[in-house]
Amino acid sequence: MAEAEAKAEAKAEAKTEAKKELTVKKLREKGVKPKKEVLERSKEQRRIIKQITECLKSGPKTIPEIASELNLPTGVVTWYIMTLWKYGQVVAGEEVDGYYKYELAAKEVKEEEGE
């Protein structure tokens, strides 16, 4: 039963990606280009996500530990960690002094090892 659910989830993800690709393609065909600010913000978001995932490769860390290591505000790290958690890219582990230690999800670790 879990295998059927996994197949259904994979199919839904593929369909969503295909829709996104189609939308981007249609916009490009119409000559619609994103604003420079949007591109810069997107680039910054990808950079921060990469920093956080690289930081977590060395092991589980709390949000304050990540913020300190990356020299980013705790609120910014919280926002990104919660987003990564929502999409299953990080998982909460043990609680230490009122903070959860976050680590990369097993799926994420396997994908990055395959690169």
Side-chain angles (χ1 to χ4, degrees), residues 35-63:
K35 293 181 180 180
K36 185 177 180 179
E37 300 84 33
V38 172
L39 293 174
E40 289 300 319
R41 179 67 181 154
S42 180
K43 186 177 180 180
E44 176 71 4
Q45 288 174 338
R46 287 191 307 271
R47 184 185 67 76
I48 292 172
I49 289 169
K50 185 175 182 178
Q51 283 182 318
I52 291 171
T53 55
E54 288 295 320
C55 178
L56 291 175
K57 282 183 181 179
S58 63
K61 293 184 176 73
T62 64
I63 289 175

Side-chain angles (χ1 to χ4, degrees), residues 1-10:
M1 188 160 137
E3 187 177 323
E5 290 175 2
K7 285 181 181 180
E9 185 177 317

